[in-house]
Amino acid sequence: MRLPPAILGSTEEVLREILRFTAPADVTLSRYFKDHQRLGSRERGVVAEAVYAVLRNKTFFTEFGGTGGTPSMRRLALLGLAETVGIDALSGLHEDETEFLNRMQQIDRSLLPPLAQANMPQWLFDKLVAQFGEPEAKELSAVLNTPAPLDLRVNSIKANRDEVIAKLAEAPIAAEPTPYSPLGLRIKKKPALQNLPLFKEGAIEVQDEGSQVLAQILAARRGEMVVDFCAGAGGKTLALGATMRNTGRLYAFDVSEKRLSKLKPRLARSGLSNVHPVLIAHERDAKIKRLAGKIDRVLVDAPCSGLGTLRRNPDVKWRQPETAVAEMQEKQASILDGAARLLKGGGRLVYATCSLLNEENDVIVEQFLASHPDFELVPMSKVLAEQKIDLEMDQYLKLLPHKHNTDGFFAAVLERKPMAAKKPKAEATDAAADE
């Protein structure tokens, strides 16, 4: 089935805006579709996938798609569409454009230089090579340049996984259990879930399996006081609330009112009543200080470069300059320090990012432990065994798209040592006299 010629025009138009990199690609696409409601859901899907194909393959398309220079926006749009729907689905092409697309498809990409294969900025590819070695960096880059699967989390307050699989099959939508999360489902295609009764009733939420695992390793229990320190739109918050079986008190902190507002409709669907969204100004907010030393568990999904999510957000690698990583490090250290003050003795904190880079992960945790002798690292191997999660890890959780088919995630479990009981004053005075 051939696409109408207008699809090419729409792809070219929105691509021109997105490649300015002034805003996230998904935000620009949403705004464009809102302004162009003549496009049906299928057409919107084709345009979006073509745009993401260009973002994933930008280096290759730019270097080999030009005629003696940078390719025109029309050529980039054609390459994106050919990548996603195939040349035969395109209509209204000039003869030389068809020849050009056929020629591009005949290039053996495995023979290209490593950077052209990776489709990344030089600085990022260099960091991955330094961290993983070139063979694994190439393997990781190749997977990062493919679309991510669609993962769901079953809301255990409302349903179990087998029930949801059966109901999705009636839609008909084929879903299979994820290997690591006991509540996860993976869907190969991308159906319109928001129209399903399961979604409307809050029995399912869209959430990457790696993100689900982060909620699991916090191991929040019934009746505890728990904080999701950087809650955002609340995907992990909802998972934690269900783990707590809707008991205790779960605070969802965030500095963005807009992000927290996205949590409200999801919270209403979920059936949870133990979640308390709280807008904070910064990690030293008075609202945080009031809870210092009172919290059982804290999840810190810290702001980061987001490089672990490139399968979903391929524009991130082009929008992030190398200097952003160093800026993130300072913020991450400050947030971790602020969040740690909440914990009572014996309490646990999970520090996590969706970054692949050691600078935002291991380095931050090691610096924290060096300056906080009242905290110790709990080996991830021990935590995963406690939670019966079938993953082989050492000190930290390191989920990688090419190994685990999740987004890239890092996590460390930090435990506050039990507070030493203070001696009565008289006893302390006697002890001093004995010395």
Side-chain angles (χ1 to χ4, degrees):
M1 183 176 169
R2 284 183 170 255
L3 296 171
I7 292 291
L8 174 57
S10 294
T11 305
E12 184 181 350
E13 192 176 1
V14 72
L15 199 54
R16 183 172 284 105
E17 180 63 31
I18 282 171
L19 290 180
R20 293 191 178 108
F21 299 117
T22 55
D26 58 346
V27 172
T28 304
L29 277 167
S30 295
R31 189 172 63 241
Y32 182 83
F33 293 147
K34 192 175 179 182
D35 294 342
H36 297 78
Q37 295 190 10
R38 70 180 189 281
L39 292 169
S41 60
R42 181 173 178 269
E43 285 85 1
R44 289 197 298 272
V46 169
V47 171
E49 288 304 318
V51 165
Y52 283 122
V54 172
L55 292 168
R56 289 187 181 104
N57 296 281
K58 181 171 165 285
T59 304
F60 171 64
F61 285 174
T62 303
E63 286 191 15
F64 292 87
T67 49
T70 304
S72 67
M73 204 59 63
R74 179 179 169 91
R75 278 196 164 201
L76 285 176
L78 284 169
L79 287 166
L81 287 165
E83 186 85 5
T84 51
V85 297
I87 299 171
D88 293 342
L90 304 179
S91 56
L93 301 186
H94 306 305
E95 188 178 335
D96 62 328
E97 288 176 332
T98 305
E99 288 175 5
F100 157 70
L101 291 175
N102 283 320
R103 194 165 62 249
M104 286 290 287
Q105 290 204 336
Q106 287 166 10
I107 294 173
D108 184 349
R109 299 193 198 186
S110 67
L111 301 177
L112 299 177
L115 186 65
Q117 286 184 52
N119 277 289
M120 285 184 177
Q122 183 78 56
W123 72 266
L124 177 54
F125 187 62
D126 288 347
K127 279 185 182 293
L128 294 182
V129 169
Q131 190 169 313
F132 295 98
E134 187 170 299
E136 189 173 359
K138 286 170 69 174
E139 188 184 349
L140 172 57
S141 301
V143 173
L144 287 172
N145 287 322
T146 61
L150 176 62
D151 289 353
L152 307 178
R153 178 183 58 80
V154 175
N155 178 2
S156 58
I157 298 291
K158 296 199 167 187
N160 66 49
R161 190 154 67 169
D162 290 340
E163 289 170 353
V164 171
I165 289 173
K167 285 186 180 177
L168 285 172
E170 293 169 11
I173 297 169
E176 57 186 37
T178 51
Y180 312 122
S181 168
L183 296 171
L185 290 173
R186 183 155 292 152
I187 295 173
K188 289 191 177 152
K189 293 183 180 177
K190 295 191 178 177
L193 293 171
Q194 64 272 19
N195 300 325
L196 294 177
L198 278 171
F199 182 82
K200 291 177 181 176
E201 293 159 10
I204 54 172
E205 276 286 342
V206 175
Q207 187 178 20
D208 181 78
E209 186 185 17
S211 177
Q212 295 180 44
V213 170
L214 291 188
Q216 278 180 271
I217 62 174
L218 189 67
R221 298 178 185 140
R222 290 172 182 260
E224 288 187 328
M225 295 261 284
V226 179
V227 169
D228 187 353
F229 202 80
C230 306
K236 295 177 202 68
T237 309
L238 298 177
L240 292 172
T243 301
M244 295 164 71
R245 302 306 297 168
N246 207 11
T247 64
R249 198 166 181 85
L250 173 55
Y251 293 98
F253 288 162
D254 206 273
V255 295
S256 168
E257 190 169 6
K258 186 177 179 183
R259 284 197 293 266
L260 282 179
S261 69
K262 291 180 181 177
L263 168 58
K264 288 178 182 176
R266 301 174 79 185
L267 192 53
R269 284 197 308 270
S270 73
L272 295 173
S273 57
N274 63 338
V275 178
H276 302 272
V278 180
L279 180 67
I280 58 173
H282 44 70
E283 60 270 18
R284 296 284 187 272
D285 194 298
K287 294 169 190 169
I288 298 168
K289 289 181 181 177
R290 283 198 289 270
L291 293 171
K294 297 177 183 176
I295 303 299
D296 296 290
R297 294 173 196 264
V298 179
L299 174 61
V300 180
D301 184 10
C304 66
S305 61
L307 295 168
T309 68
L310 290 182
R311 291 195 298 175
R312 299 177 199 284
N313 307 300
D315 57 311
V316 166
K317 62 187 173 184
W318 307 116
R319 288 194 298 108
Q320 292 273 21
E322 185 175 3
T323 53
V325 175
E327 290 164 11
M328 284 291 178
Q329 282 182 295
E330 191 176 331
K331 185 183 290 186
Q332 287 153 355
S334 180
I335 287 172
L336 179 53
D337 181 67
R341 295 167 193 235
L342 290 166
L343 278 185
K344 59 171 67 167
R348 277 192 177 183
L349 181 150
V350 169
Y351 171 80
T353 75
C354 52
S355 173
L356 300 165
L357 303 179
N358 286 342
E359 295 104 299
E360 300 181 81
N361 299 333
D362 315 44
V363 170
I364 299 296
V365 172
E366 285 156 17
Q367 286 174 351
F368 174 84
L369 288 169
S371 59
H372 293 75
D374 54 331
F375 278 81
E376 60 188 353
L377 183 73
V378 182
M380 191 56 64
S381 54
K382 178 185 174 185
V383 177
L384 293 170
E386 288 171 354
Q387 295 302 306
K388 298 181 173 58
I389 301 172
D390 187 19
L391 273 166
E392 286 189 20
M393 297 285 162
D394 188 13
Q395 297 293 90
Y396 303 121
L397 180 77
K398 294 188 176 185
L399 293 174
L400 296 166
H402 67 300
K403 287 184 176 178
H404 306 106
N405 202 21
T406 64
D407 285 348
F409 278 107
F410 168 90
V413 176
L414 304 166
E415 194 167 280
R416 189 167 210 168
K417 296 172 186 175
M419 309 251 184
K422 290 183 180 177
K423 293 181 180 179
K425 281 188 177 178
E427 188 183 329
T429 305
D430 292 343
D434 290 343
E435 288 176 5

